[in-house]
Amino acid sequence: MDKKKIAVPLVCHGHSRPVVDLFYSPVTLDGFFLISASKDSSPMLRNGETGDWIGTFEGHKGAVWSVCLDTNALRAASGSADFTAKVWNALTGDILHSFEHKHIVRACAFSEDTRLLLTGGIEKVLRIYDLNRPEAPPREVDKSPGSVRMVSWMHSDQTLLSSCTDMGGVRLWDVRSGKIVQTLETKSPVTSAEVSQDGRYMTTADGSTVKFWDADHFGLVKSYNMPCTVESASLEPKYGNKFIAGGEDMWVRVFDFHTGDETACNKGHHGPVHCVRFSPGGKSYASGSEDGTIRIWQTGPLTDHEETKSHAANGSVGKVKVSVEDVSQKIGGFHIAEEGKTKEKE
């Protein structure tokens, strides 16, 4: 029997230019949320389960390259080609802080405790902003060897992770010293890096390879060659038994984590896939493309074996059902822009 399944995604329209980054919030009391970055300069917030559009963050004057939500999905952050990183009220859409940079901001990430914002970009500088003292100058860590492509926090905010647009490798920085303590070598620039929900693995995409690293000892656990150049990969968060990858061939593929075998190939995008992410419960995953759409794919029913597996490996993840009405109440004050009418800006 062919193990591959044909999935029909939820298609989320609204962006007028390519979607270049996606980020899921953890599960909150109001459900979970999905934020997207696009070259149209206007990040969008959605119900992570249904894909329903909630609102658009208006204020950037250039392409938005990176977005994230804090742990409680109360604040959003974005990094843009307009030389700013902005922090937003995710309930109202208001700008809380706008941090000026000297060049394009390619990456941003909230710390786990939500007090700090990390940014990086063309300047080759990692900056840490204290959101409790936003008027204070940011802390700058040692200069990056190249233009920063992506950033993340790990080890309970004790370690920073970064990659460069123009050279291979993932750099791990000690937050206290501000120095690089380890470099994970890759042949090509790392375009996507994700720390697993349980903190065990780092998933990276470089060239046509997806790699999994031990997040504590930094050794290479698995490396799989992909059918094409991939831009993004994500590990299923609940059981860790599958991963997804997307790239230049416009398809979103699902692979077995243990063997690397392809188990599904989802077609539908009309341009290269720039970003893929699993939802926090692992029941769906999202992809963003050059075609300006986001597609949310269901992983399908779990097998009996998967259902009976212990949840302890990655921690139990409770999924809160949330209705459209609940979400509407949660974001009742959001400055809604008419869906699909975002004005295209250079």
Side-chain angles (χ1 to χ4, degrees):
M1 187 175 105
D2 187 4
K3 294 180 181 177
K4 295 182 182 180
K5 305 179 181 70
I6 296 174
V8 178
L10 296 168
V11 182
C12 306
H13 297 283
H15 284 298
S16 58
R17 296 195 65 194
V19 177
V20 292
D21 193 27
L22 293 170
F23 186 95
Y24 276 106
S25 76
V27 177
T28 73
L29 292 175
D30 295 306
F32 60 94
F33 300 88
L34 175 66
I35 189 171
S36 54
S38 169
K39 292 182 181 179
D40 67 9
S41 81
S42 301
M44 287 187 174
L45 186 68
R46 297 178 182 275
N47 178 325
E49 185 173 10
T50 65
D52 289 337
W53 176 80
I54 293 172
T56 298
F57 298 96
E58 298 282 4
H60 277 300
K61 293 179 172 60
V64 175
W65 289 105
S66 177
V67 285
C68 56
L69 292 163
D70 70 11
T71 305
N72 299 311
L74 297 178
R75 290 176 298 181
S78 52
S80 171
D82 65 9
F83 296 11
T84 69
K86 296 186 189 298
V87 178
W88 312 77
N89 182 322
L91 303 182
T92 66
D94 293 326
I95 297 174
L96 299 176
H97 315 294
S98 185
F99 299 118
E100 297 291 332
H101 291 63
K102 296 174 183 174
H103 214 304
I104 293 169
V105 183
R106 284 297 304 264
C108 61
F110 284 109
S111 59
E112 191 176 314
D113 65 11
T114 74
R115 293 188 306 108
L116 306 171
L117 181 72
L118 172 65
T119 68
I122 306 299
E123 285 181 81
K124 305 181 182 179
V125 177
L126 296 179
R127 292 185 173 89
I128 300 174
Y129 293 87
D130 185 339
L131 298 178
N132 292 330
R133 299 170 56 242
E135 70 289 342
R139 181 186 166 200
E140 295 185 0
V141 303
D142 256 5
K143 204 165 178 67
S144 168
S147 173
V148 177
R149 171 70 182 253
M150 56 73 49
V151 295
S152 185
W153 298 80
M154 57 190 298
H155 298 155
S156 301
D157 298 336
Q158 297 305 302
T159 305
L160 306 178
L161 180 156
S162 72
S163 73
C164 298
T165 57
D166 43 8
M167 64 181 66
V170 173
R171 280 146 204 94
L172 301 166
W173 309 70
D174 180 82
V175 170
R176 288 163 294 185
S177 69
K179 305 288 186 185
I180 295 174
V181 293
Q182 186 91 13
T183 299
L184 311 180
E185 299 294 345
T186 64
K187 290 182 179 179
S188 303
V190 171
T191 51
S192 165
E194 173 189 82
V195 181
S196 65
Q197 196 163 274
D198 63 356
R200 288 176 61 191
Y201 298 114
M202 292 175 287
T203 305
T204 63
D206 72 286
S208 58
T209 307
V210 173
K211 295 181 174 69
F212 299 93
W213 310 81
D214 185 305
D216 291 322
H217 306 291
F218 308 131
L220 182 62
V221 178
K222 293 181 182 295
S223 179
Y224 295 121
N225 292 322
M226 299 286 103
C228 71
T229 299
V230 293
E231 284 196 51
S232 185
S234 183
L235 180 65
E236 193 280 325
K238 200 169 185 181
Y239 302 105
N241 57 3
K242 65 185 75 168
F243 68 94
I244 52 174
E248 65 177 14
D249 69 358
M250 304 185 285
W251 299 345
V252 182
R253 301 174 188 269
V254 185
F255 299 89
D256 184 288
F257 170 77
H258 302 288
T259 65
D261 293 338
E262 183 180 310
T263 58
C265 180
N266 299 323
K267 303 174 184 180
H269 280 298
H270 302 291
V273 176
H274 296 310
C275 42
V276 294
R277 283 292 176 262
F278 261 106
S279 68
K283 292 186 177 179
S284 63
Y285 50 93
S287 55
S289 168
E290 182 75 16
D291 65 16
T293 69
I294 300 162
R295 292 170 191 259
I296 298 176
W297 314 79
Q298 300 301 311
T299 53
L302 296 175
T303 65
D304 292 340
H305 175 65
E306 289 173 324
E307 285 283 18
T308 54
K309 263 190 175 181
S310 169
H311 292 191
N314 286 317
S316 180
V317 180
K319 186 174 181 183
V320 181
K321 286 281 186 183
V322 55
S323 68
V324 175
E325 289 75 17
D326 292 336
V327 174
S328 298
Q329 290 171 10
K330 174 177 168 63
I331 51 82
F334 207 108
H335 302 309
I336 300 296
E338 191 177 347
E339 184 172 10
K341 301 285 187 181
T342 53
K343 185 179 179 182
E344 187 170 333
K345 306 181 184 82
E346 293 303 322

